[in-house]
Amino acid sequence: MIPASTALPKGNILIVDDVPDNLTFLHKMLSSQGYKVRSALTGRLAIQSVLTKPPDLILLDILMPDMDGYEVCQQLKAGEETCHIPIIFVSALSETIDKVKAFSIGGNDYLTKPLQVQEAIARIEHQLNLKRLQQQLIDRNQQLEQEIGARQQAEEALQLAMREVTDIKFALDQSAIVAITDAQGRITYANDQFCAISKYSRQELLGQTHSIVNSSYHPQEFFQQMWQVISMGQVWKGEIRNRAKDGTFYWVDTVIVPLLGTDGTPHQYVSIRHDISDRNRATLDKIRATLATWHLTKAEEQVRLLQSVVVNANDAVVITEAQPLDMPGPRIIYVNEAFTRMTGYQLEDVVGKTPRILQGEKTNAVTRAQIRAALESWQPVRAELLNYRKDGTEFWVDLNITPLTDDIGWVTHWIAVQRDICERKEAELSLQRQAQIIDQVHDSVIVADLKENIISWNKGAEKRFGYQPQQILGQPLAQLCASEEHGFVQEQIFRPLLEKGEHEIEVQMLTKAQEGFPAHLSLSVLKDNEGKVVGLVSYCIDISDRKRAEAEILNTLEKERELNDLKTRFVSMVSHEYRTPLATILSSLELLEYYGHRSTESEKQENYQQIRLAIQRMTDLLNDVLTLNKSEAGKLTFNPAPLDLGQFCQDLVNELQRNIKTEHQIFLSVQDQCPQAQMDEKLLRHILSNLISNAVKYSPQRGTINFEVRYRDHRAIFYVQDQGIGIPTEALQNLFQPFYRANNVGNIAGTGLGLSIVKRLVDTHGGSINVESQVGSGTTFIVTLPLTAEDGPVLPENNQTE
Ligand code: ADP
């Protein structure tokens, strides 16, 4: 058995056999191989079936009753529609003669019954493949035939088109001026007509752009607009005035056609032109004639009016032709009398010449170029120009040039109106010079308008305030003033200035870096040409140095005053403090001298003692003055040495308690475990004994004095507290000034030197002294000293008595 196939039908096969069993067998065999099979029992039925629907292959039995296989084959091979269907004979006839016959009448193959299934299928497959290939060949042939046909048609069309193009080109060349340019506008083709009208040879034209025939007649925008159109691939049409090689002009009606490349952008431009010079001339003449008649009456009147204006004008009027803008320049056809007055040239001197005769060496080339550019594009232009008179002297003019067009808008002339601006230029120059001078000034010059905005300033101001002109001009003047007072500039600067016409004021100014400085402002009003006040001018001098010097002088004066005060107080105190013991000494000596012989020994001793005490008082005072002097001169010596503070304080209190003649009690309290101290014993003794003595002196009889010693943070703190008269608040700040005494001391003796010396000794020790006091309740002095010099100085507390 042959394995069944499930694939789609591989071909359409007709089996022709008169034996139904054969048909059935073949049908099964082929169907199982995926072929679509139909059957015919007779030759006639087979031919009918083929004609109805041609199969891809026919398996044909030879021996059949009414029409044998040979005949069927012959008929099919004779038919146009059926001749290409492959026929395989299937027959029991196995003679070579049979096979030869089968092949000779067009059979494609021959299978002998009984069939070898594999062989039969292979041959069927082979025939079908052959047929497919044949079909493909036929299809391809047909396609090729079609293509060849199409190409032939295209070639014919192309040839036709070429012929047409050549004809058109020929026609164009005969009738028009033709040029072809590349994308950059360089001429790559110029026909004879182009050469003829432009009077350039073809060699001269090729490679050039059309500017070779540019007549400078059309403004630049005209050509810019043209390029815009054609470079976008669109056709441009217009009329152009060109200039031939010999300088003559011709008008051409122009069509420019861009030829697009495969990328869609223009690769070439074809220009087709027609000479319309005559036509234009004729049209123009016609238009002019019409317009002329139409406007005649009105125009004549206007012309008369205008003429009288021009003739009598104060400004010079020059009328020139429109061309040529190149050398020698447009010719003058008219100048008025003002021109003669201004330049010294008479009308006959200048007619036919160019206005360029007025220009000379110093005439600004840039301005001239600007004027030229404007004229080239038919634009009116205004400029200031340096001109030369006939006698060679210079003068400045404000020049206004206007194009004069004819009725259809073509520029035919230029009218130049010149105003003599020498005076203004002179004024400008003088202003410039003044501005230069002002810029040289070291101080600031600031100009502000009435809206209080800065409108100008000099280099000095720029330097002092640190702003660039563009940062400050237009800004309010208040920006330069340090005052935050509302309306300061108006109230302090503008109002007094406008009232008095000038004004001076010292104000604090502010730089860009927000640094304030004192300044003296000399202000004057700024007026316009009509004398109207339009702002202010401020001459601003930085007076920082002056202010500093003033402050220094004041300081020195203050010190001198203090010194004088000190001297006065010193003299009065010393004289007083010396007079009292001296008087004591004197009276004791007198007693001894006159009554000594009558006095008892104890009375004498009493007098001697008085003298000793008085001398001691004078010595103490002298010592105090010397100590103070030493400290002022920075000559106090500081000799720290290890010191047992507890013991030292105890000894000091004992000594003082012994020496005081009153009934005051001194109580000492020392914190336990005193750390090792390094102090100058002499200085410390002086400090503490002075404070304790004062506490005794300014306390009532039998008062108690608390002396306390504490340690904290490497510091020793000494408290000396009494319940005495206290110190008035206003006296606290002067307490350490030499010779200062509070006004509540009454007749308690003293020099006012003690505390000032104490302060200096405390300072020498790197310590600080503070005081807390209440009048009538008592006073506490607090001295803080570093335990050793290594502990660093005591920073002063924020205490007014320090
Ligand atoms: P004086 O020789 O006047 O005592 P000091 O320099 O020692 O000079 O003191 C200056 C002034 O400080 C004193 O005149 C007094 O007014 C005031 N003063 C000092 N110590 C005390 C105190 N413990 N109680 C009240 N006032 C004092």
Side-chain angles (χ1 to χ4, degrees):
M1 266 308 279
I2 302 154
S5 166
T6 53
L8 285 172
K10 295 196 277 185
N12 216 322
I13 300 176
L14 174 68
I15 318 162
V16 189
D17 203 318
D18 59 335
V19 182
D21 283 351
N22 286 349
L23 281 179
T24 312
F25 170 75
L26 282 170
H27 200 290
K28 267 190 186 166
M29 180 187 86
L30 293 172
S31 297
S32 72
Q33 289 303 307
Y35 295 103
K36 203 171 174 195
V37 187
R38 45 193 165 112
S39 324
L41 273 170
T42 65
R44 259 175 246 291
L45 285 173
I47 289 171
Q48 254 174 28
S49 172
V50 170
L51 289 176
T52 314
K53 191 179 176 203
D56 295 319
L57 183 129
I58 302 168
L59 287 182
L60 186 57
D61 187 19
I62 296 176
L63 296 176
M64 287 184 293
D66 57 340
M67 183 189 277
D68 67 10
Y70 295 130
E71 205 180 330
V72 175
C73 178
Q74 271 168 332
Q75 277 195 24
L76 289 177
K77 291 292 173 187
E80 198 182 332
E81 298 290 310
T82 50
C83 65
H84 60 275
I85 303 171
I87 297 174
I88 302 175
F89 285 98
V90 184
S91 176
L93 304 175
S94 56
E95 292 302 316
T96 308
I97 184 101
D98 299 318
K99 291 179 187 173
V100 170
K101 186 176 178 190
F103 283 115
S104 68
I105 57 168
N108 298 74
D109 204 352
Y110 196 102
L111 288 170
T112 317
K113 289 180 186 171
L115 289 179
Q116 292 297 314
V117 175
Q118 300 288 359
E119 184 197 352
I121 288 175
R123 288 183 182 225
I124 289 168
E125 195 60 45
H126 174 67
Q127 284 306 321
L128 282 172
N129 273 340
L130 272 178
K131 193 197 165 212
R132 267 185 229 114
L133 284 173
Q134 251 170 13
Q135 190 56 48
Q136 279 175 8
L137 261 176
I138 291 163
D139 292 347
R140 182 76 192 123
N141 262 348
Q142 271 176 358
Q143 202 181 338
L144 276 174
E145 273 167 16
Q146 277 170 5
E147 278 175 16
I148 288 165
R151 195 169 297 163
Q152 270 172 352
Q153 271 176 3
E155 267 172 20
E156 278 164 19
L158 191 68
Q159 271 172 8
L160 197 69
M162 290 283 280
R163 264 202 308 282
E164 275 173 14
V165 168
T166 320
D167 292 346
I168 292 168
K169 190 170 165 288
F170 176 75
L172 263 179
D173 277 345
Q174 293 309 304
S175 63
I177 304 153
V178 181
I180 300 177
T181 69
D182 61 15
Q184 281 71 43
R186 281 187 297 268
I187 299 166
T188 53
Y189 172 81
N191 73 349
D192 292 343
Q193 291 220 34
F194 187 15
C195 299
I197 197 161
S198 69
K199 303 198 169 60
Y200 285 103
S201 71
R202 189 165 285 109
Q203 282 71 24
E204 283 172 316
L205 289 172
L206 293 180
Q208 299 295 322
T209 65
H210 274 92
S211 60
I212 193 170
V213 288
N214 189 338
S215 64
S216 299
Y217 178 81
H218 303 279
Q220 270 175 345
E221 293 82 53
F222 177 85
F223 292 108
Q224 277 167 0
Q225 186 264 346
M226 178 191 91
W227 268 103
Q228 230 167 29
V229 172
I230 60 172
S231 58
M232 279 163 58
Q234 290 165 6
V235 175
W236 182 90
K237 289 179 190 160
E239 295 185 355
I240 303 179
R241 190 171 92 151
N242 281 345
R243 185 168 62 178
K245 190 178 177 183
D246 63 0
T248 56
F249 297 106
Y250 61 93
W251 277 92
V252 277
D253 177 28
T254 305
V255 177
I256 303 177
V257 184
L259 301 184
L260 306 185
T262 45
D263 60 356
T265 61
H267 280 209
Q268 286 189 318
Y269 298 100
V270 179
S271 70
I272 302 143
R273 301 180 164 94
H274 288 97
D275 182 2
I276 51 161
S277 304
D278 291 340
R279 192 179 85 199
N280 268 356
R281 266 193 290 278
T283 322
L284 259 180
D285 289 348
K286 219 165 145 191
I287 294 170
R288 279 208 192 99
T290 322
L291 284 172
T293 7
W294 192 39
H295 285 303
L296 198 59
T297 352
K298 268 199 153 188
E300 269 181 354
E301 196 183 321
Q302 279 178 351
V303 164
R304 260 200 307 280
L305 271 171
L306 284 173
Q307 238 172 13
S308 76
V309 171
V310 169
V311 170
N312 299 313
N314 276 332
D315 294 336
V317 177
V318 183
I319 303 178
T320 65
E321 289 171 348
Q323 294 290 339
L325 292 176
D326 292 330
M327 290 307 276
R331 290 181 312 164
I332 296 174
I333 58 166
Y334 173 80
V335 293
N336 67 352
E337 283 173 19
F339 178 86
T340 306
R341 283 197 299 277
M342 200 180 286
T343 63
Y345 287 110
Q346 297 294 330
L347 178 63
E348 53 274 20
D349 292 336
V350 292
V351 165
K353 297 195 176 140
T354 163
R356 287 171 202 173
I357 55 167
L358 298 172
Q359 298 168 0
E361 187 191 351
K362 288 202 218 159
T363 309
N364 190 310
V366 177
T367 318
R368 280 167 56 178
Q370 281 166 352
I371 295 174
R372 166 77 194 243
L375 298 189
E376 273 176 0
S377 54
W378 289 8
Q379 295 300 312
V381 59
R382 184 173 180 178
E384 288 181 4
L385 209 63
L386 182 77
N387 275 350
Y388 290 82
R389 296 192 184 87
K390 190 177 178 184
D391 62 8
T393 52
E394 299 168 0
F395 69 107
W396 276 94
V397 287
D398 178 9
L399 178 64
N400 248 309
I401 305 180
T402 318
L404 195 70
T405 53
D406 62 10
D407 304 323
I408 58 163
W410 289 342
V411 173
T412 55
H413 297 89
W414 299 107
I415 300 191
V417 180
Q418 305 184 359
R419 177 165 293 185
D420 187 333
I421 52 163
C422 287
E423 270 181 33
R424 204 191 81 205
K425 276 281 164 190
E426 194 48 50
E428 272 178 17
L429 268 177
S430 121
L431 266 180
Q432 262 175 22
R433 270 183 237 120
Q434 277 175 19
Q436 275 169 4
I437 293 169
I438 289 173
D439 271 349
Q440 299 301 315
V441 175
H442 174 73
D443 297 315
S444 308
V445 179
I446 303 164
V447 184
D449 61 15
L450 288 179
K451 286 185 198 146
E452 302 177 18
N453 289 331
I454 300 162
I455 52 173
S456 166
W457 77 356
N458 70 340
K459 285 257 179 321
E462 190 179 318
K463 217 164 135 193
R464 185 62 192 98
F465 288 91
Y467 289 103
Q468 292 298 309
Q470 68 272 19
Q471 294 172 318
I472 197 68
L473 297 184
Q475 297 302 313
L477 184 59
Q479 191 171 321
L480 302 181
C481 296
S483 171
E484 285 175 4
E485 194 183 310
H486 180 70
F488 175 82
V489 172
Q490 177 59 29
E491 291 304 319
Q492 303 295 323
I493 296 180
F494 269 88
R495 189 199 293 264
L497 170 67
L498 297 178
E499 275 169 14
K500 295 184 280 174
E502 50 188 39
H503 177 47
E504 299 206 359
I505 184 175
E506 280 186 10
V507 289
Q508 192 71 10
M509 303 300 273
L510 200 63
T511 67
K512 187 184 173 198
Q514 299 301 300
E515 166 216 343
F517 70 91
H520 178 97
L521 306 187
S522 294
L523 300 147
S524 51
V525 288
L526 178 73
K527 294 181 178 171
D528 65 8
N529 290 345
E530 278 98 48
K532 202 173 116 208
V533 175
V534 290
L536 65 73
V537 180
S538 164
Y539 191 88
C540 163
I541 305 173
D542 181 350
I543 52 169
S544 307
D545 290 345
R546 199 183 86 196
K547 285 276 169 197
R548 241 191 316 276
E550 274 176 12
E552 272 168 23
I553 290 171
L554 277 178
N555 207 6
T556 317
L557 279 175
E558 179 62 19
K559 277 202 176 133
E560 251 176 47
R561 199 179 56 75
E562 275 175 15
L563 213 63
N564 275 338
D565 265 16
L566 201 67
K567 267 188 208 157
T568 319
R569 276 189 276 149
F570 179 73
V571 171
S572 76
M573 187 276 300
V574 168
S575 52
H576 174 260
E577 285 300 307
Y578 264 64
R579 201 168 281 142
T580 320
L582 278 175
T584 310
I585 292 168
L586 202 62
S587 65
S588 297
L589 279 175
E590 275 175 356
L591 282 175
L592 283 172
E593 194 176 351
Y594 296 111
Y595 306 105
H597 58 284
R598 284 195 269 149
S599 306
T600 62
E601 191 53 28
S602 78
E603 282 171 336
K604 280 184 197 165
Q605 284 306 320
E606 173 82 4
N607 282 327
Y608 289 138
Q609 180 61 15
Q610 287 297 329
I611 291 170
R612 240 179 261 118
L613 280 175
I615 290 172
Q616 183 59 48
R617 219 169 131 189
M618 287 166 70
T619 313
D620 286 349
L621 177 61
L622 206 61
N623 278 340
D624 278 354
V625 170
L626 284 174
T627 312
L628 187 67
N629 194 38
K630 249 186 184 174
S631 78
E632 292 273 320
K635 287 184 182 160
L636 272 183
T637 50
F638 175 53
N639 298 314
L643 185 67
D644 180 344
L645 265 186
Q647 191 56 52
F648 167 79
C649 291
Q650 188 60 63
D651 292 348
L652 181 70
V653 169
N654 291 344
E655 187 188 327
L656 290 173
Q657 189 71 67
R658 245 193 336 270
N659 287 347
I660 52 173
K661 308 261 178 322
T662 57
E663 293 172 31
H664 290 85
Q665 287 292 319
I666 306 169
F667 294 106
L668 172 67
S669 154
V670 181
Q671 190 182 323
D672 288 342
Q673 293 168 340
C674 166
Q676 185 64 39
Q678 284 265 355
M679 292 189 181
D680 186 321
E681 189 181 331
K682 215 169 119 196
L683 299 190
L684 190 60
R685 178 183 297 281
H686 200 119
I687 293 166
L688 296 175
S689 58
N690 215 306
L691 294 178
I692 295 170
S693 304
N694 272 355
V696 170
K697 192 162 71 172
Y698 295 108
S699 297
Q701 271 299 342
R702 288 187 287 280
T704 53
I705 284 90
N706 291 316
F707 177 30
E708 222 178 299
V709 186
R710 296 267 171 273
Y711 314 107
R712 201 190 321 133
D713 301 333
H714 303 276
R715 312 281 190 236
I717 309 161
F718 304 91
Y719 299 85
V720 179
Q721 185 199 26
D722 64 51
Q723 282 94 40
I725 62 169
I727 304 167
T729 314
E730 66 276 10
L732 288 174
Q733 57 189 352
N734 297 316
L735 222 51
F736 300 102
Q737 298 289 332
F739 308 114
Y740 182 84
R741 306 201 71 210
N743 57 8
N744 65 335
V745 292
N747 55 8
I748 303 169
T751 59
L753 275 175
L755 284 185
S756 62
I757 294 170
V758 165
K759 172 82 171 79
R760 281 162 176 77
L761 300 184
V762 168
D763 287 346
T764 311
H765 232 296
S768 74
I769 181 165
N770 294 293
V771 60
E772 291 163 4
S773 182
Q774 214 173 352
V775 174
S777 299
T779 304
T780 305
F781 279 92
I782 305 145
V783 173
T784 310
L785 300 178
L787 277 171
T788 68
E790 286 81 54
D791 295 328
V794 179
L795 294 175
E797 283 174 29
N798 190 14
N799 186 312
Q800 56 178 349
T801 56
E802 259 287 3

